[in-house]
């Protein structure tokens, strides 16, 4: 298995060096096929069968408007990470069961009448939306950054975790609540205003922003069947708005049996947050100093954490001699790093083992 995987990675590297422009590889069993150019993804998709894996290089590809096969699509990167270029797709609609999307910067994603869709380590620059008159079931959003989440109304058994969401564009039927854990929701609610939706869900270990910029009240009401466990509510204010409300002590009220266990808020203290990094998945929520019920910091640094790196191995260095040795052999050295290696290199151990000294 390791030999096959290494061959796969080396082949990807070789194709990238040979190809001019965009590259897509189609892996079906032991067979790999390469496609090139702006239509590489479209061509790979046409040739794909259920269970195939399509890997995309960096760059802007023409879209497959409707994914109707049970496939996995993995891009190069979705976030601003030094040394990596992003993979871009515009409008993508998922209309098949068992689809996985990873490591891609999307403009919009639409969820149709599907089951078991997994969107991982992607950024959705505009909207995650639903297709009218459909239901998406068992959708998992993991380690993503989403501008507007609008897929709630037609969801069943919907789970969002370790993700950053600017705001929810729609509520959800109380008959089918969602599961939201270790997320950072920038604008979760506006006190005194209902324009921003607060979907019915079970919220655990999240950081939830409460905007009181321009409303003369600092109260917000939440209702059953939503449940709130070990979340941190923080008050948003800004110097660009009037200071009339910045000294209010705001409060959340839980009514009609809405469960409230272990939650806290910033009270009369405003929390100022820089927007420069939060939409690239870099925002660190452990600065709030609160632990969730799993013993890890609330927000995206808790739970399983957040990583921008797609799960496929990466070639992080290569050395190829310019000529053969005396035996006619060419020395080639390639270093392959897995996701775990890249994370460890980015954040070394707090207590490294020291070499013994004499």
């Amino acid at each position: 298995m390791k030999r096959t995987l290494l061959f796969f990675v080396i082949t990807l590297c070789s194709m990238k060096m040979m190809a001019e422009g965009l590259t897509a590889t189609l892996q079906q069993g032991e067979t790999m096929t390469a496609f090139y150019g702006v239509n590489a993804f479209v061509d790979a998709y046409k040739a794909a069968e259920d269970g195939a894996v399509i890997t995309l290089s960096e760059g802007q590809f023409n879209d497959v408007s409707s994914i109707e096969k049970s496939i996995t699509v993995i891009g190069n990167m979705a976030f601003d990470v030094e040394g990596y270029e992003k993979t871009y797709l515009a409008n993508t609609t998922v209309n098949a069961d068992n689809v996985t999307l990873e490591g891609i910067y999307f403009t919009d994603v639409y969820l149709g009448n599907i089951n078991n869709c997994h969107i991982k380590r992607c950024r959705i620059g505009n909207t995650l939306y639903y297709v009218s008159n459909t239901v998406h079931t068992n959708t998992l959003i993991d380690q993503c950054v989403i501008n507007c989440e609008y897929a709630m109304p037609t969801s069943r058994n919907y789970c969002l975790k370790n993700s950053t969401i600017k705001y929810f564009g729609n509520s959800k039927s109380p008959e089918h609540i969602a599961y939201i854990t270790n997320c950072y929701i920038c604008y979760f609610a506006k006190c005194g205003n209902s324009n921003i939706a607060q979907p019915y869900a079970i919220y655990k270990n999240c950081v939830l922003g409460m905007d009181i910029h321009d409303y003369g009240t600092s109260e917000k009401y939440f209702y059953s069947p939503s449940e709130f466990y070990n979340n941190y509510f923080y008050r948003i204010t800004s110097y660009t708005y009037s200071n009339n409300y910045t000294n209010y002590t705001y409060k959340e009220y839980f009514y009609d049996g809405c469960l409230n266990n272990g939650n806290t808020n910033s009270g009369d203290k405003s929390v100022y947050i820089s927007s420069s990094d939060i939409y690239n998945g870099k925002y660190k929520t452990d600065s709030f100093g609160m632990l969730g019920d799993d013993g890890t910091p609330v927000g995206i640094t808790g739970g399983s954490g957040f990583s921008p790196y797609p799960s496929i191995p990466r070639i992080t260095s290569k050395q190829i001699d310019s000529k053969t040795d005396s035996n006619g052999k060419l020395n080639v050295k390639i270093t392959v790093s897995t996701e775990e290696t890249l994370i460890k290199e980015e954040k070394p151990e707090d207590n490294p083992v020291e070499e013994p000294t004499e």
Side-chain angles (χ1 to χ4, degrees), residues 280-352:
N280 286 311
K282 299 177 182 178
Y283 179 64
K284 302 300 183 184
T285 56
D286 52 357
S287 61
F288 289 107
M290 177 182 170
L291 299 182
D293 63 354
D294 59 359
T296 61
V298 293
I300 61 174
T301 56
S304 58
F306 184 99
S307 170
Y309 303 107
S311 58
I312 58 174
R314 302 300 183 95
I315 294 179
T316 51
S317 69
K318 55 183 178 290
Q319 178 182 334
I320 303 176
D321 288 353
S322 59
K323 58 182 181 180
T324 61
D325 59 19
S326 58
N327 296 320
K329 295 182 179 180
L330 183 65
N331 183 42
V332 178
K333 182 178 179 181
I334 296 177
T335 302
V336 179
S337 295
T338 63
E339 169 197 346
E340 291 77 11
T341 304
L342 292 168
I343 294 173
K344 189 173 181 180
E345 290 173 353
E346 190 175 77
K347 186 177 181 181
E349 295 293 335
D350 294 334
N351 298 303

Side-chain angles (χ1 to χ4, degrees), residues 146-149 164-168 184-188 279:
I146 301 171
N147 179 56
C148 176
E149 198 295 321
T164 295
I165 301 164
K166 185 176 182 181
Y167 67 97
F168 292 105
Y184 168 46
I185 303 172
C186 307
Y187 297 97
F188 179 62
Y279 299 126

